[in-house]
Amino acid sequence: MKYRIEKDTLGEVQVPEEKLWGAQTQRSKTNFKIGPEASMPLEIIKAFAYLKKAAAYTNTDLGVLSTEKRDLISQVCDEIVQGHLNEHFPLVIWQTGSGTQSNMNVNEVIANRAQQLVGKTWTDEPVLKANDDVNKSQSSNDTFPTAMHIAAYKILVENTIPALKELKKTFEDKSKQFEAIVKIGRTHLMDATPLTLGQEFSGYTQLLEYALRNLEASLSYLSELALGGTAVGTGLNTPKGYDTLVAQYISKFTGHPFVTAPNKFEALSAHNAIVQSHAALKQLAVSLNKIANDIRMMASGPRSGIGEILLPENEPGSSIMPGKVNPTQCEAVTMVCAQVMGNDVAVTIGATQGHYELNVFKPMLISNFIQSAMLLGDAMQSFNKNCAEGIEPNNKRIEELVSNSLMLVTALNTKIGYYKAAEIAQTAHKNGTTLKEEAVRLGYVSAEDFDQWVNPKEMV
């Protein structure tokens, strides 16, 4: 492998000749061999490209950067957003807690790629300087939290929320489709009074509605950007009006309604917007876990379980048991939910590390956030397509379980009283008989009255 010499304030560093990064990136790559290379999410890298482009336009508008340099920065940023330069971002999450090295990775790649675009070599005078031009009016301390919010906002509105809306719509449709199917309810995993399968699915719809509301509410906080605070929140080395204008450019380039944060000191030192938004992701995970567990238990069997609903048969379920089919989509969703709940613990702890003017757990915070949002979005798409849309009722089994339930006796409470109704249920359970048989034998209810009063369709 051939190398070239790059310099920073600590001296010379060898960098692979074909790579666009510079000395500071190489030092980080060498000093932090923790986890897989390039584990910094590309969503963050692309978010950096949006903000670097916006910063260049703002600096030009405010008279501190030439149009030629702006256009070069913009051209490279567009290449980054399009994914053409992914191989030049090799750094891991586990680096400095401010994300400085990833900020410089982007700065160096933009500067060195610009050198290529104008046909100059590594040894020629640079057309762009990573710190003086690409990073102008910026600090890692305000660029990284800005990239965090851009990436978090985009993945929620472009991945997680659309998938959630689709799954919610499926459950709404199923609720209407199943509204007349009376089934036995269960509390404490034991038989309870009847409800309809549609009512049960309406509960799942509402769970997803609450999760959707919380995610959408969190977007307003994620839309606030730290850029313009520079090192500690004071905006040192920025031209007047920079923070507001740069947010407008980011909004224009991303197509999302970003604004400047009202208080840059909070924006650099704390990440409550990430905490709140990830809490909404955790709530979604809790809801999905409940839904997926209910569905796989309702579908258990096919002959020795509950078996009230039928799930799509997507793949063989066993390497030893022929013909076995498992609720694999439910299992995948619940594993994702466990991961998201674990991520929330890391996000919570990371957000506590805002000492004085800077939180120094930024890369870990956003990495966990992006993983949670992406996993939930992908899992909901998969679950919706390969499971939820294909759920069908097993009407024969539903009717069998309803007719065999002892808790239909609850309908007699207001007719003969709780204690006599309990005696009927307990006697029928002990003798293996029906509620009607024991009610009539005990002399508490006539056969005609029983048929009139104990009607599952009237109990929902």
Side-chain angles (χ1 to χ4, degrees):
M1 181 180 294
K2 293 183 178 181
Y3 294 88
R4 68 179 191 276
I5 299 298
E6 289 272 351
K7 295 180 181 180
D8 60 14
T9 56
L10 294 182
E12 296 182 346
V13 179
Q14 282 191 329
V15 176
E17 193 171 278
E18 75 278 7
K19 300 302 182 183
L20 292 174
W21 65 74
Q24 291 195 50
T25 303
Q26 188 62 42
R27 290 188 192 280
S28 180
K29 190 173 183 296
T30 301
N31 293 335
F32 295 95
K33 295 183 181 298
I34 306 172
E37 285 196 355
S39 59
M40 182 62 69
L42 286 173
E43 289 80 5
I44 282 290
I45 303 302
K46 293 179 180 181
F48 262 111
Y50 283 117
L51 75 87
K52 295 293 179 183
K53 179 177 178 178
Y57 269 80
T58 303
N59 284 324
T60 300
D61 287 358
L62 298 178
V64 294
L65 187 74
S66 71
T67 302
E68 292 75 19
K69 289 182 176 181
R70 179 201 68 186
D71 292 343
L72 276 174
I73 292 171
S74 177
Q75 185 175 349
V76 181
C77 287
D78 289 343
E79 290 184 350
I80 294 172
V81 168
Q82 293 161 10
H84 299 325
L85 303 178
N86 289 353
E87 65 178 290
H88 302 287
F89 300 98
L91 299 188
V92 296
I93 301 158
W94 319 107
Q95 52 167 282
T96 173
S98 62
T100 298
Q101 290 146 2
S102 283
N103 178 42
M104 284 308 303
N105 185 186
V106 176
N107 290 335
E108 290 171 345
V109 168
I110 292 173
N112 288 334
R113 175 59 178 155
Q115 197 78 348
Q116 288 182 341
L117 290 175
V118 298
K120 292 184 178 293
T121 67
W122 302 118
T123 57
D124 292 331
E125 181 70 18
V127 294
L128 288 178
K129 292 182 179 179
N131 290 82
D132 293 336
D133 298 319
V134 186
N135 201 62
K136 183 177 287 293
S137 305
Q138 304 156 56
S139 163
S140 299
N141 295 353
D142 68 349
T143 58
F144 203 94
T146 297
M148 290 169 68
H149 278 215
I150 294 171
Y153 192 106
K154 281 177 60 63
I155 197 167
L156 287 183
V157 301
E158 296 173 8
N159 180 284
T160 316
I161 290 176
L164 173 53
K165 288 180 176 178
E166 283 296 313
L167 183 59
K168 176 174 168 285
K169 177 65 165 56
T170 295
F171 280 115
E172 285 174 343
D173 293 343
K174 293 293 179 181
S175 178
K176 294 173 184 176
Q177 181 184 338
F178 301 155
E179 63 183 356
I181 301 174
V182 177
K183 69 181 289 289
I184 199 63
R186 295 180 183 84
T187 59
H188 305 267
L189 296 181
M190 307 299 284
D191 297 353
T193 56
L195 76 168
T196 70
L197 188 59
Q199 288 172 328
E200 200 160 40
F201 273 58
S202 76
Y204 306 150
T205 303
Q206 191 62 40
L207 280 172
L208 298 180
E209 171 64 23
Y210 287 144
L212 178 60
R213 290 183 199 174
N214 280 341
L215 280 176
E216 290 181 333
S218 73
L219 293 175
S220 64
Y221 298 103
L222 289 175
S223 69
E224 297 177 355
L225 304 181
L227 203 56
T230 62
V232 296
T234 61
L236 181 67
N237 290 349
T238 62
K240 186 177 180 179
Y242 171 86
D243 60 346
T244 301
L245 184 56
V246 78
Q248 291 172 359
Y249 270 116
I250 291 173
S251 182
K252 175 182 177 181
F253 296 150
T254 62
H256 297 301
F258 291 109
V259 296
T260 191
N263 188 296
K264 305 300 189 299
F265 306 103
E266 183 276 337
L268 271 62
S269 64
H271 289 298
N272 286 339
I274 295 293
V275 174
Q276 179 181 357
S277 302
H278 198 278
L281 291 173
K282 181 185 72 173
Q283 183 201 7
L284 173 57
V286 169
S287 298
L288 288 172
N289 199 84
K290 183 264 193 300
I291 293 168
N293 275 335
D294 276 10
I295 286 174
R296 66 174 163 185
M297 286 190 287
M298 270 194 279
S300 61
R303 294 187 176 181
S304 299
I306 294 174
E308 291 176 327
I309 59 175
L310 304 172
L311 304 184
E313 298 184 349
N314 298 321
E315 63 273 321
S318 174
S319 61
I320 188 173
M321 292 175 279
K324 196 173 193 297
V325 179
N326 296 328
T328 51
Q329 289 294 320
C330 297
E331 292 164 5
V333 166
T334 50
M335 284 191 286
V336 163
C337 293
Q339 182 65 56
V340 172
M341 294 174 204
N343 286 352
D344 194 68
V345 174
V347 167
T348 301
I349 295 171
T352 67
Q353 303 305 299
H355 304 134
Y356 295 112
E357 278 64 64
L358 189 68
N359 176 286
V360 291
F361 272 52
K362 298 183 194 301
M364 184 276 287
L365 281 167
I366 193 58
S367 174
N368 277 273
F369 187 100
I370 289 172
Q371 185 191 46
S372 293
M374 183 176 294
L375 283 176
L376 286 170
D378 291 350
M380 286 187 290
Q381 288 182 44
S382 179
F383 182 70
N384 188 49
K385 177 182 177 182
N386 298 305
C387 181
E389 289 181 345
I391 293 174
E392 295 293 339
N394 185 349
N395 290 302
K396 181 179 179 181
R397 179 61 173 163
I398 288 173
E399 292 170 5
E400 176 188 350
L401 291 174
V402 169
S403 64
N404 198 41
S405 173
L406 298 175
M407 290 305 100
L408 297 179
V409 78
T410 306
L412 297 177
N413 278 6
T414 58
K415 306 297 182 182
I416 63 175
Y418 179 92
Y419 294 102
K420 289 181 179 179
E423 183 183 353
I424 293 171
Q426 291 165 350
T427 305
H429 181 54
K430 179 180 178 180
N431 295 337
T433 52
T434 66
L435 291 174
K436 182 176 181 179
E437 288 172 336
E438 293 302 336
V440 173
R441 188 185 68 79
L442 290 169
Y444 295 150
V445 176
S446 69
E448 293 77 13
D449 284 343
F450 187 94
D451 290 338
Q452 181 181 351
W453 294 339
V454 184
N455 181 354
K457 292 182 180 180
E458 298 297 326
M459 298 172 69
V460 298

